[in-house]
Amino acid sequence: MGTKRSILADEKGLSLAIVISGANTHDIKLLEETLDHIVVPRPEPDEKHPQNLCLDAGYIGGGEAVKQRDYIPHIRPCGEEKKELERNPDFHARHWVVEVTHSFFNRFRKLLVRYEKKAVNYIAFLQFACTVIVWRKVIHIHR
């Protein structure tokens, strides 16, 4: 039984929402559910402080769902950030933050292969991993 996890991370790589589904589920089908499962209360966006959402090419067509939730969608095809970085040295790539967050999850050996039959048990392990990742980042910030 394969499992896919969809993670919403903030600009520092902290997990805000996590959702699981079957491995054969396309990313776009998990977008709305992931955005609806944010565990941290979100401040209201305004003109001074808009909230951006960076997505990869797998989410093309999900812009409406993002706009309905008051985010500004930034959906870039694969390799576009690398090309922009070559043209503009001051450009700051954003997509790597989520890749680093996925890497943090892969450091938990218990999560690499799913052995739990019940989805509730597996999501509990993922949420515990989120907690440990946040805790490690908070400790690192306060040193």
Side-chain angles (χ1 to χ4, degrees):
M1 169 182 1
T3 303
K4 176 182 270 191
R5 61 181 176 242
S6 177
I7 300 172
L8 177 66
D10 71 352
E11 62 189 349
K12 293 179 179 64
L14 301 176
S15 301
L16 301 176
I18 189 162
V19 175
I20 63 170
S21 71
N24 60 347
T25 306
H26 194 275
D27 294 339
I28 194 75
K29 293 184 179 181
L30 295 175
L31 178 62
E32 291 184 38
E33 187 178 359
T34 304
L35 293 175
D36 292 340
H37 278 87
I38 297 176
V39 295
V40 178
R42 188 177 148 211
E44 288 296 320
D46 56 12
E47 290 182 19
K48 267 181 108 174
H49 299 99
Q51 294 182 1
N52 300 298
L53 187 63
C54 299
L55 302 165
D56 63 9
Y59 294 96
I60 290 177
E64 272 308 309
V66 173
K67 288 177 185 175
Q68 287 175 354
R69 288 162 179 81
D70 296 325
Y71 287 105
I72 300 171
H74 299 279
I75 303 173
R76 295 194 144 194
C78 298
E80 189 175 306
E81 285 186 346
K82 185 177 179 180
K83 290 177 187 175
E84 181 67 28
L85 188 58
E86 291 171 358
R87 285 191 299 254
N88 180 7
D90 295 329
F91 176 73
H92 177 41
R94 298 177 181 178
H95 188 261
W96 67 271
V97 175
V98 176
E99 302 302 329
V100 170
T101 303
H102 279 286
S103 172
F104 289 154
F105 279 97
N106 291 338
R107 293 180 187 170
F108 294 93
R109 291 186 307 173
K110 179 71 176 165
L111 301 177
L112 286 176
V113 178
R114 177 181 169 181
Y115 293 105
E116 290 72 30
K117 290 183 180 180
K118 295 182 180 179
V120 162
N121 295 340
Y122 185 63
I123 197 77
F125 280 121
L126 288 172
Q127 290 171 344
F128 184 69
C130 289
T131 305
V132 171
I133 291 168
V134 169
W135 180 252
R136 288 177 180 169
K137 286 203 174 236
V138 168
I139 289 174
H140 180 69
I141 291 170
H142 292 292
R143 283 188 189 170

